[in-house]
Amino acid sequence: MSGAIESVLNETRVFTPPDDSAARIPDMAHYHALRKRFDDDFTGTWGELARQHIHWHKPFSSVLDDSDAPFFKWFADGEVNMSENCLDRHVHAGLGERTAIIWEGESGEVRHISYAALLADVCRAANAMRQLGIEQGDRVVIYMPMIPEAAVAMLACTRIGATHSVVFGAFSANALRERVMDAGAKLVVTADGGWRRGKVHALKPSVDAALEKGCACVEHVLVVKHGGNDVDWQQGRDVDWRQALNAQPDICQPLAVDAEHPLFILYTSGSTGSPKGIVHATGGYLLWSILTMQWVFDFRSDSDVFWCTADIGWITGHTYSVYGPLACGGTTLMYEGVPTYPDAGRLWKICADHGVTVFYTAPTAIRALIKAGDAWPKKHDLSKLRVLGTVGEPINPEAWMWYHEVIGGGRCPIVDTWWQTETGGHMISPLPFATATKPGSASFPLPGIFAEVVDLEGQAVGKGQGGLLVVTKPWPSMLRGIWGDAERYRDTYWQKFDGRYYFAGDGARKDEDGYFWIMGRVDDVLNVSGHRLGTMEIESALVSHAAVAEAAVVGRPDDIKGEAICAFVILKQQASDDLKSELRAHVALEIGPIAKPDDIRFADNLPKTRSGKIMRRLLRDIAAGREITQDISTLEDHRVIAQLQAKD
Ligand code: WT7
């Protein structure tokens, strides 16, 4: 257990929410009333909300189809278009001049894009994609920096019924190829490069390298010229984004698709195998992105400036940088660059310069900024902030307190939102003007969400007890499956409790007051700076190096990143320090820099049980430098422990 979790367990402070009668859910009575609506009429309530918040081309008659559980369908006979809900309906409501996206580049360049301008660009991009042969159901991979064109590309796909799959720009060419191939993408949208720490980080060469090794499915690469770096150009395959868009009319009728139409695929790590393509459907995801914006952030589309710092390569960026705020008709901020460039005040300067009112980030970023010192936020006017959020990993109470006092001036409620790539949107979170918060607790399930902490038999644990986190009823924004692997979907999420519950992979605890405290993954998934990585993926990357015979990867607590990556490696050759850096570079090449092991320890053997299973709990203790409590009497070779304990 990490230090952060231990401190969470001793936490007893409670913070009453600020009064705001204008809030959408102004008190707990409203929260309970909303919950009760779902208790009394589950499908009726979902149906009513879906009719109220979504513009449907064809209304649905069926709310939930559970005839083929766990392959649930929501609003299945309804027809809808995502981009129309995010753009056209606001323009038609007279909000064309409202700013949809505020973009700031690392160099300080700023763009304000109105709803009317965004709609026009999305139409041009959709037409350009069609001209390149993209039709409904085709997959488009988006490998981009944090620039407005990334959002335009996503929305353009949805306009014509193409399914996008955004791949985080810091993933390597190999990781990109794996995803392009799995999705069977026909088009890749990328940029020449993006800005990081004052320099251009090239992206197009990774696409070239990925496609060079054979991705026969890809016909074209659409390239945004942004970084100004020289790139190779493959005639016939590569197309200049701006030229292609300029050649198109700014009108493109939105294509109505079934509510269940796959809106996007997003790859995420699991405890076994290669990354899974999580599939999300259009209608249910759209509904939940709107409702969670309104309930959890109390988002006010006419006055808020909303900033979610996540990259669009992650689910947080999908739901809360792009779809949620735009579907609500509000203003979302995008920043391309490093949070500490040119100094540790950058995020706070952006908040002050653009009057950010709702700010959403990860605990790892907060911890890094705490280290930089209070002087940075104090230099900037943060008085417009009214709601703060965190996501991605448990937040330690110290970081929570700092966020509350130094950033929120003691006045802003903090919403600690628990959710996953698979859930599409928030699941467990305080409501900013209703829930009394406890630092480190995500508090209660949202209305409509039936989450529980259960024991191994699936029985709900009592107050004050720990267990496994499950969701006991389907919800509209739930994943619809794993791309191309229905069985894996069933096995991973539904098998554990015989199809009754969705198993999240997290451990949790319920306290005396019924608050949920998320304790982190109970499987072999790591959470490094809020990024999800499978230990097995990193192990596979290591053993693909010629010098490595065997590898075991575990997490160890880290003050800033939450978890650091520790690799135990058995070599086929002599160990050396050079080899350690070579292995790190190799992992970066196979997956991306975020997966580089922090520690690499060489040994002659890995501790295994008699049946040959690697003793991972033992390795976790060793990696953390903790006392070994496990019974190791079955270990064949005790010397291996001493070897593994030896640090760099
Ligand atoms: C895993 C999902 C959801 C967007 C970001 C991550 C952990 C997420 C919290 C939180 C404690 C959290 C869980 C979860 N997690 N939010 N508020 N408190 N842990 O999405 O990459 O799919 O990772 O992140 O372990 O299972 P993801």
Side-chain angles (χ1 to χ4, degrees):
M1 212 183 273
S2 71
I5 295 217
E6 274 156 29
S7 64
V8 150
L9 288 177
N10 299 322
E11 182 56 46
T12 54
R13 284 170 286 202
V14 181
F15 292 81
T16 42
D19 271 334
D20 190 338
S21 54
R24 223 170 281 261
I25 302 183
D27 52 42
M28 280 316 255
H30 277 77
Y31 165 74
H32 287 297
L34 249 177
R35 274 186 71 148
K36 189 160 182 309
R37 277 176 65 190
F38 287 99
D39 289 337
D40 294 347
D41 183 3
F42 184 71
T43 49
T45 304
W46 280 121
E48 207 178 307
L49 290 167
R51 274 185 288 271
Q52 189 186 335
H53 291 282
I54 292 178
H55 168 76
W56 294 94
H57 269 254
K58 176 175 162 251
F60 56 88
S61 62
S62 147
V63 173
L64 170 63
D65 176 355
D66 56 4
S67 59
D68 187 24
F71 299 91
F72 297 97
K73 295 191 177 88
W74 286 88
F75 320 117
D77 59 346
E79 289 181 11
V80 63
N81 180 279
M82 179 53 120
S83 76
E84 185 177 25
N85 273 275
C86 289
L87 303 168
D88 308 57
R89 67 164 161 171
H90 309 313
V91 174
H92 294 156
L95 303 175
E97 292 315 306
R98 179 180 287 173
T99 300
I101 300 178
I102 302 175
W103 175 78
E104 180 163 324
E106 207 184 56
S107 67
E109 187 193 342
V110 172
R111 286 168 65 185
H112 284 250
I113 302 168
S114 70
Y115 271 93
L118 187 60
L119 172 60
D121 240 19
V122 166
C123 286
R124 288 190 196 98
N127 288 329
M129 286 184 188
R130 274 215 176 114
Q131 183 138 51
L132 295 175
I134 301 303
E135 293 167 9
Q136 175 170 10
D138 286 340
R139 273 82 59 208
V140 174
V141 161
I142 299 175
Y143 184 67
M144 305 265 268
M146 279 296 279
I147 53 177
E149 288 80 355
V152 171
M154 291 164 78
L155 288 159
C157 288
T158 75
R159 198 155 188 92
I160 59 174
T163 299
H164 63 68
S165 182
V166 182
V167 176
F168 180 44
F171 275 131
S172 68
N174 286 339
L176 174 64
R177 183 181 58 248
E178 199 180 349
R179 287 157 175 79
V180 167
M181 302 261 278
D182 188 80
K186 222 162 144 181
L187 172 71
V188 176
V189 186
T190 190
D192 48 3
W195 290 87
R196 285 187 62 80
R197 246 176 257 290
K199 291 199 193 82
V200 174
H201 164 85
L203 279 169
K204 171 83 168 27
S206 293
V207 177
D208 292 338
L211 301 191
E212 193 171 281
K213 293 186 200 153
C215 287
C217 48
V218 175
E219 293 172 4
H220 292 285
V221 178
L222 205 43
V223 187
V224 179
K225 300 263 180 69
H226 171 70
N229 48 316
D230 281 338
V231 287
D232 289 341
W233 207 257
Q234 192 171 312
Q235 285 307 326
R237 185 195 72 182
D238 298 346
V239 179
D240 182 286
W241 166 276
R242 204 24 73 194
Q243 278 178 11
L245 264 64
N246 284 346
Q248 295 295 332
D250 61 4
I251 291 176
C252 168
Q253 287 309 316
L255 183 78
V257 296
D258 293 345
E260 281 295 301
H261 180 70
L263 178 69
F264 63 82
I265 304 169
L266 186 59
Y267 287 84
T268 191
S269 297
S271 43
T272 56
S274 47
K276 307 173 278 202
I278 302 299
V279 181
H280 278 288
T282 310
Y285 174 87
L286 167 59
L287 175 62
W288 199 230
S289 69
I290 295 172
L291 290 176
T292 52
M293 283 299 294
Q294 296 188 343
W295 294 350
V296 176
F297 296 122
D298 189 48
F299 186 55
R300 301 174 194 181
S301 54
D302 56 348
S303 55
D304 274 324
V305 176
F306 182 85
W307 185 17
C308 161
T309 64
D311 190 278
I312 42 132
W314 310 108
I315 189 72
T316 314
H318 281 59
T319 313
Y320 299 110
S321 288
V322 180
Y323 291 122
L326 297 181
C328 289
T331 301
T332 182
L333 191 142
M334 269 174 108
Y335 167 59
E336 183 204 5
V338 169
T340 49
Y341 188 88
D343 59 50
R346 186 61 186 265
L347 298 189
W348 317 128
K349 182 174 188 316
I350 294 174
C351 284
D353 287 353
H354 301 289
V356 171
T357 56
V358 184
F359 180 71
Y360 189 37
T361 196
T364 189
I366 297 170
R367 289 192 296 265
L369 292 165
I370 291 175
K371 238 183 155 176
D374 294 6
W376 292 109
K378 295 232 158 86
K379 271 193 195 165
H380 302 283
D381 176 9
L382 300 177
S383 62
K384 289 244 171 69
L385 287 172
R386 62 179 201 96
V387 176
L388 301 174
T390 77
V391 60
E393 49 178 322
I395 181 163
N396 47 309
E398 299 70 36
W400 195 102
M401 287 305 300
W402 184 84
Y403 199 29
H404 178 69
E405 283 166 5
V406 181
I407 304 307
R411 84 185 172 270
C412 304
I414 296 180
V415 290
D416 173 355
T417 60
W418 175 83
W419 59 296
Q420 309 178 294
T421 305
E422 291 87 340
T423 70
H426 303 146
M427 300 292 277
I428 304 180
S429 172
L431 300 172
F433 300 100
T435 316
T437 46
K438 302 187 183 189
S441 168
S443 78
F444 307 110
L446 295 175
I449 301 301
F450 292 76
E452 236 343 315
V453 182
V454 299
D455 62 21
L456 290 173
E457 274 71 54
Q459 294 299 318
V461 301
K463 290 185 173 173
Q465 306 279 305
L468 301 174
L469 186 59
V470 297
V471 187
T472 62
K473 281 185 196 232
W475 65 102
S477 69
M478 65 193 300
L479 76 162
R480 294 306 193 271
I482 294 175
W483 183 255
D485 200 343
E487 273 323 296
R488 194 173 173 199
Y489 163 69
R490 199 195 290 273
D491 290 352
T492 310
Y493 304 105
W494 298 91
Q495 196 88 311
K496 192 157 189 90
F497 296 102
D498 306 321
R500 282 178 299 154
Y501 303 151
Y502 168 85
F503 171 52
D506 280 308
R509 201 178 126 261
K510 247 179 159 179
D511 73 12
E512 299 301 329
D513 303 318
Y515 280 68
F516 284 66
W517 298 77
I518 315 297
M519 313 305 282
R521 304 291 305 196
V522 293
D523 51 10
D524 292 321
V525 170
L526 303 184
N527 193 328
V528 181
S529 301
H531 295 147
R532 183 165 154 184
L533 293 162
T535 48
M536 202 168 136
E537 261 175 273
I538 307 172
E539 287 162 8
S540 309
L542 285 165
V543 295
S544 73
H545 188 280
V548 177
E550 207 181 350
V553 167
V554 297
R556 67 159 167 78
D558 180 274
D559 282 350
I560 302 283
K561 300 184 190 183
E563 230 173 352
I565 305 172
C566 187
F568 297 94
V569 175
I570 318 293
L571 292 174
K572 295 181 190 161
Q573 66 179 66
Q574 201 66 34
S576 71
D577 280 342
D578 283 353
L579 192 55
K580 285 191 182 174
S581 26
E582 199 178 313
L583 289 180
R584 282 197 185 98
H586 182 72
V587 173
L589 196 67
E590 287 295 314
I591 305 174
I594 54 171
K596 275 197 220 173
D598 298 272
D599 306 343
I600 295 184
R601 299 193 194 177
F602 295 131
D604 299 329
N605 262 311
L606 290 175
K608 289 187 186 157
T609 61
R610 287 250 160 83
S611 61
K613 274 185 84 174
I614 293 174
M615 300 167 87
R616 288 183 176 276
R617 189 150 66 87
L618 177 65
L619 288 180
R620 279 195 285 268
D621 282 339
I622 293 173
R626 284 189 295 255
E627 197 186 325
I628 294 168
T629 49
Q630 205 174 346
D631 175 15
I632 49 171
S633 55
T634 57
L635 254 190
E636 314 252 325
D637 180 2
H638 280 258
R639 275 176 318 166
V640 72
I641 303 281
Q643 235 181 17
L644 294 169
Q645 281 172 325
K647 285 215 175 148
D648 281 344

